[in-house]
Amino acid sequence: MDDPRLTPARPDLAAAFLKGRITADRYATGEEFELVDALAPLRQAPSTDAMLLTQALLGERVTIYDRSGDGFAWGQLQGDGYVGWLPDRALARPRAAPTHRITGLRTFGFPGPSIKLPPIETLVLGSTITVTRENGPFAVTDRGWHVPLCHVGDIGHHAEDFVALAEQFIGTPYLWGGKSSLGIDCSGLLQLSLHAAGRRCPRDSDMQQRALGTALDAAAHDDLRRGDLIFWHGHVAIVRDSDTLVHANAHHMATAIEPIRDAVARIGSAGSRITAIKRLA
């Protein structure tokens, strides 16, 4: 069965490439757009009250198949394939291909080459920008934003240690569907961290459990290494060392470091057992 989170299909409309596989009232080819907001909510329905499924970052490409007529567009993110409703105002026709990405947890886009100017935008880790030139300590984007060079990396730049990247989020508030240092959930933390290290990663923890790494004995907690992943139903944590893990979680309502044994016991007492331990190559 096609996963509805990753399949652009509804009873009334489906992507044209699904014709013959999925039945719908009509089909659409879709059009490519670019995220021009720093952070855009992708929701389950075309309403600001609808559940947040994930977030799209500045520079992401999305294929749009439908519009609600009251400010929402329905489509599929090209990066991880997630399907949902985005605010129409966050979209624009694609311009030049991104050349750089934001490597700091957060940074600012200034209207000129001075940090004393009021920022135009707040940018978050993983956002992509098109840099046209440098101006002193700033990268200047095709929108005219001046972004501190120390927070910008080449589009091919990858972090060496995804766990160290995840650790930078410690203290970030927990947000279901969140994908930035303003608010993040467990699978968003893993996805952002792995993407920053140049590794592909699906969005949700069940997808990640299926797609990532090699399975270890789920009962063997004594042979864990930095970078191993521990999965429960609906949750994932990243192993820091043989004794501790880091995860965004609703218990702390934040990204936190926790002793592995304490986390396993606490989550187990709530009725959830480890479903898998995976080791990345």
Side-chain angles (χ1 to χ4, degrees):
M1 177 181 291
D2 292 297
D3 188 331
R5 295 170 294 180
L6 304 175
T7 309
R10 312 181 320 227
D12 65 317
L13 174 66
F17 72 85
L18 295 171
K19 193 171 186 178
R21 195 173 93 206
I22 290 179
T23 300
D25 293 341
R26 61 189 178 91
Y27 300 88
T29 301
E31 297 178 87
E32 183 178 80
F33 286 83
E34 172 186 357
L35 267 293
V36 292
D37 277 9
L39 198 60
L42 186 137
R43 299 188 182 277
Q44 191 173 46
S47 167
T48 55
D49 296 329
M51 186 173 73
L52 179 66
L53 300 176
T54 187
Q55 292 174 314
L57 307 184
L58 176 74
E60 281 197 67
R61 278 4 187 212
V62 57
T63 304
I64 295 300
Y65 295 99
D66 190 25
R67 284 185 161 79
S68 66
D70 57 357
F72 290 91
W74 182 72
Q76 183 172 34
L77 300 179
Q78 293 183 7
D80 61 21
Y82 224 106
V83 174
W85 291 90
L86 289 159
D88 218 343
R89 58 167 174 73
L91 303 169
R93 296 288 183 183
R95 302 204 292 187
T99 61
H100 292 72
R101 67 178 69 250
I102 302 301
T103 55
L105 285 187
R106 292 178 301 279
T107 192
F108 297 113
F110 296 96
S114 172
I115 60 172
K116 296 181 180 180
L117 295 170
I120 295 173
E121 189 61 272
T122 301
L123 309 178
V124 297
L125 178 84
S127 302
T128 52
I129 57 177
T130 302
V131 174
T132 57
R133 61 188 175 91
E134 293 182 9
N135 186 356
F138 296 95
V140 183
T141 75
D142 60 344
R143 292 180 170 84
W145 301 347
H146 287 63
V147 183
L149 275 169
C150 58
H151 295 155
V152 174
D154 186 87
I155 197 74
H157 170 84
H158 301 309
E160 293 184 5
D161 183 355
F162 84 92
V163 184
L165 198 291
E167 290 169 335
Q168 293 183 40
F169 284 85
I170 291 168
T172 296
Y174 179 83
L175 176 66
W176 179 275
K179 218 171 85 168
S180 83
S181 59
L182 302 174
I184 201 164
D185 64 14
C186 65
S187 55
L189 177 66
L190 178 58
Q191 186 187 52
L192 266 184
S193 301
L194 284 177
H195 280 181
R199 293 171 174 258
R200 293 186 62 83
C201 179
R203 178 58 178 91
D204 292 344
S205 62
D206 62 321
M207 302 173 183
Q208 293 167 348
Q209 180 176 322
R210 289 192 300 269
L212 299 175
T214 302
L216 305 178
D217 182 353
H221 306 157
D222 297 328
D223 187 34
L224 295 176
R225 302 178 189 169
R226 184 174 178 86
D228 287 347
L229 307 175
I230 304 177
F231 290 92
W232 293 262
H233 177 69
H235 188 61
V236 60
I238 303 167
V239 173
R240 296 177 66 244
D241 52 42
S242 59
D243 297 317
T244 62
L245 52 76
V246 58
H247 58 158
N249 67 93
H251 174 75
H252 297 96
M253 282 306 295
T255 298
I257 293 174
E258 189 172 7
I260 293 172
R261 291 188 180 279
D262 290 358
V264 171
R266 176 177 60 78
I267 297 172
S269 69
S272 183
R273 304 298 178 189
I274 291 175
T275 56
I277 298 176
K278 305 296 284 288
R279 177 162 293 165
L280 303 178

PDB file of all heavy atoms in Angstrom, residues 181-196:
ATOM      1  N   SER A 181      15.825  24.990  15.066  1.00  0.00           N
ATOM      2  CA  SER A 181      16.220  25.283  16.443  1.00  0.00           C
ATOM      3  C   SER A 181      15.204  26.160  17.155  1.00  0.00           C
ATOM      4  O   SER A 181      15.377  26.477  18.336  1.00  0.00           O
ATOM      5  CB  SER A 181      17.596  25.956  16.466  1.00  0.00           C
ATOM      6  OG  SER A 181      17.566  27.160  15.718  1.00  0.00           O
ATOM      7  N   LEU A 182      14.145  26.551  16.473  1.00  0.00           N
ATOM      8  CA  LEU A 182      13.032  27.252  17.122  1.00  0.00           C
ATOM      9  C   LEU A 182      12.052  26.265  17.728  1.00  0.00           C
ATOM     10  O   LEU A 182      11.253  26.620  18.591  1.00  0.00           O
ATOM     11  CB  LEU A 182      12.316  28.158  16.112  1.00  0.00           C
ATOM     12  CG  LEU A 182      13.195  29.204  15.434  1.00  0.00           C
ATOM     13  CD1 LEU A 182      12.413  29.947  14.360  1.00  0.00           C
ATOM     14  CD2 LEU A 182      13.745  30.184  16.465  1.00  0.00           C
ATOM     15  N   GLY A 183      12.101  25.025  17.289  1.00  0.00           N
ATOM     16  CA  GLY A 183      11.233  23.957  17.771  1.00  0.00           C
ATOM     17  C   GLY A 183      11.434  22.734  16.905  1.00  0.00           C
ATOM     18  O   GLY A 183      11.477  22.846  15.675  1.00  0.00           O
ATOM     19  N   ILE A 184      11.588  21.566  17.547  1.00  0.00           N
ATOM     20  CA  ILE A 184      11.955  20.370  16.786  1.00  0.00           C
ATOM     21  C   ILE A 184      11.393  19.130  17.453  1.00  0.00           C
ATOM     22  O   ILE A 184      11.160  19.111  18.670  1.00  0.00           O
ATOM     23  CB  ILE A 184      13.499  20.283  16.655  1.00  0.00           C
ATOM     24  CG1 ILE A 184      13.924  19.398  15.491  1.00  0.00           C
ATOM     25  CG2 ILE A 184      14.148  19.846  17.967  1.00  0.00           C
ATOM     26  CD1 ILE A 184      15.376  19.596  15.082  1.00  0.00           C
ATOM     27  N   ASP A 185      11.150  18.088  16.653  1.00  0.00           N
ATOM     28  CA  ASP A 185      10.750  16.808  17.224  1.00  0.00           C
ATOM     29  C   ASP A 185      11.850  15.783  17.008  1.00  0.00           C
ATOM     30  O   ASP A 185      12.904  16.085  16.419  1.00  0.00           O
ATOM     31  CB  ASP A 185       9.387  16.338  16.673  1.00  0.00           C
ATOM     32  CG  ASP A 185       9.384  16.044  15.175  1.00  0.00           C
ATOM     33  OD1 ASP A 185      10.468  15.929  14.568  1.00  0.00           O
ATOM     34  OD2 ASP A 185       8.283  15.917  14.602  1.00  0.00           O
ATOM     35  N   CYS A 186      11.626  14.563  17.496  1.00  0.00           N
ATOM     36  CA  CYS A 186      12.709  13.567  17.518  1.00  0.00           C
ATOM     37  C   CYS A 186      13.209  13.209  16.124  1.00  0.00           C
ATOM     38  O   CYS A 186      14.417  13.174  15.873  1.00  0.00           O
ATOM     39  CB  CYS A 186      12.258  12.316  18.269  1.00  0.00           C
ATOM     40  SG  CYS A 186      10.901  11.389  17.495  1.00  0.00           S
ATOM     41  N   SER A 187      12.290  12.952  15.203  1.00  0.00           N
ATOM     42  CA  SER A 187      12.705  12.554  13.860  1.00  0.00           C
ATOM     43  C   SER A 187      13.216  13.735  13.058  1.00  0.00           C
ATOM     44  O   SER A 187      14.075  13.588  12.184  1.00  0.00           O
ATOM     45  CB  SER A 187      11.547  11.868  13.126  1.00  0.00           C
ATOM     46  OG  SER A 187      10.392  12.687  13.112  1.00  0.00           O
ATOM     47  N   GLY A 188      12.704  14.934  13.370  1.00  0.00           N
ATOM     48  CA  GLY A 188      13.231  16.128  12.726  1.00  0.00           C
ATOM     49  C   GLY A 188      14.678  16.374  13.124  1.00  0.00           C
ATOM     50  O   GLY A 188      15.497  16.786  12.301  1.00  0.00           O
ATOM     51  N   LEU A 189      14.998  16.120  14.383  1.00  0.00           N
ATOM     52  CA  LEU A 189      16.369  16.266  14.858  1.00  0.00           C
ATOM     53  C   LEU A 189      17.302  15.319  14.112  1.00  0.00           C
ATOM     54  O   LEU A 189      18.381  15.719  13.671  1.00  0.00           O
ATOM     55  CB  LEU A 189      16.432  15.985  16.360  1.00  0.00           C
ATOM     56  CG  LEU A 189      17.823  16.037  17.003  1.00  0.00           C
ATOM     57  CD1 LEU A 189      18.386  17.451  16.957  1.00  0.00           C
ATOM     58  CD2 LEU A 189      17.767  15.515  18.431  1.00  0.00           C
ATOM     59  N   LEU A 190      16.880  14.070  13.963  1.00  0.00           N
ATOM     60  CA  LEU A 190      17.710  13.096  13.248  1.00  0.00           C
ATOM     61  C   LEU A 190      17.837  13.466  11.778  1.00  0.00           C
ATOM     62  O   LEU A 190      18.938  13.432  11.206  1.00  0.00           O
ATOM     63  CB  LEU A 190      17.126  11.693  13.395  1.00  0.00           C
ATOM     64  CG  LEU A 190      17.866  10.580  12.654  1.00  0.00           C
ATOM     65  CD1 LEU A 190      19.321  10.488  13.103  1.00  0.00           C
ATOM     66  CD2 LEU A 190      17.156   9.233  12.846  1.00  0.00           C
ATOM     67  N   GLN A 191      16.728  13.842  11.152  1.00  0.00           N
ATOM     68  CA  GLN A 191      16.781  14.180   9.732  1.00  0.00           C
ATOM     69  C   GLN A 191      17.684  15.377   9.471  1.00  0.00           C
ATOM     70  O   GLN A 191      18.545  15.341   8.579  1.00  0.00           O
ATOM     71  CB  GLN A 191      15.374  14.470   9.199  1.00  0.00           C
ATOM     72  CG  GLN A 191      15.346  14.683   7.689  1.00  0.00           C
ATOM     73  CD  GLN A 191      13.996  15.123   7.167  1.00  0.00           C
ATOM     74  OE1 GLN A 191      13.423  16.086   7.664  1.00  0.00           O
ATOM     75  NE2 GLN A 191      13.485  14.419   6.164  1.00  0.00           N
ATOM     76  N   LEU A 192      17.520  16.448  10.230  1.00  0.00           N
ATOM     77  CA  LEU A 192      18.346  17.638  10.036  1.00  0.00           C
ATOM     78  C   LEU A 192      19.823  17.327  10.246  1.00  0.00           C
ATOM     79  O   LEU A 192      20.679  17.781   9.493  1.00  0.00           O
ATOM     80  CB  LEU A 192      17.923  18.732  11.020  1.00  0.00           C
ATOM     81  CG  LEU A 192      16.911  19.773  10.575  1.00  0.00           C
ATOM     82  CD1 LEU A 192      16.725  20.803  11.676  1.00  0.00           C
ATOM     83  CD2 LEU A 192      17.322  20.455   9.283  1.00  0.00           C
ATOM     84  N   SER A 193      20.117  16.545  11.291  1.00  0.00           N
ATOM     85  CA  SER A 193      21.508  16.238  11.620  1.00  0.00           C
ATOM     86  C   SER A 193      22.158  15.390  10.537  1.00  0.00           C
ATOM     87  O   SER A 193      23.295  15.641  10.133  1.00  0.00           O
ATOM     88  CB  SER A 193      21.576  15.527  12.975  1.00  0.00           C
ATOM     89  OG  SER A 193      21.014  16.334  13.991  1.00  0.00           O
ATOM     90  N   LEU A 194      21.436  14.387  10.051  1.00  0.00           N
ATOM     91  CA  LEU A 194      21.993  13.537   9.000  1.00  0.00           C
ATOM     92  C   LEU A 194      22.112  14.301   7.688  1.00  0.00           C
ATOM     93  O   LEU A 194      23.104  14.150   6.964  1.00  0.00           O
ATOM     94  CB  LEU A 194      21.141  12.286   8.817  1.00  0.00           C
ATOM     95  CG  LEU A 194      21.306  11.207   9.889  1.00  0.00           C
ATOM     96  CD1 LEU A 194      20.342  10.048   9.640  1.00  0.00           C
ATOM     97  CD2 LEU A 194      22.738  10.678   9.934  1.00  0.00           C
ATOM     98  N   HIS A 195      21.131  15.126   7.366  1.00  0.00           N
ATOM     99  CA  HIS A 195      21.219  15.923   6.141  1.00  0.00           C
ATOM    100  C   HIS A 195      22.440  16.847   6.185  1.00  0.00           C
ATOM    101  O   HIS A 195      23.127  17.026   5.181  1.00  0.00           O
ATOM    102  CB  HIS A 195      19.951  16.748   5.953  1.00  0.00           C
ATOM    103  CG  HIS A 195      18.812  15.966   5.372  1.00  0.00           C
ATOM    104  ND1 HIS A 195      17.587  16.520   5.095  1.00  0.00           N
ATOM    105  CD2 HIS A 195      18.715  14.667   5.017  1.00  0.00           C
ATOM    106  CE1 HIS A 195      16.780  15.597   4.596  1.00  0.00           C
ATOM    107  NE2 HIS A 195      17.441  14.465   4.542  1.00  0.00           N
ATOM    108  N   ALA A 196      22.714  17.422   7.356  1.00  0.00           N
ATOM    109  CA  ALA A 196      23.873  18.308   7.485  1.00  0.00           C
ATOM    110  C   ALA A 196      25.176  17.553   7.285  1.00  0.00           C
ATOM    111  O   ALA A 196      26.189  18.135   6.904  1.00  0.00           O
ATOM    112  CB  ALA A 196      23.864  18.977   8.853  1.00  0.00           C
TER     113      ALA A 196
END
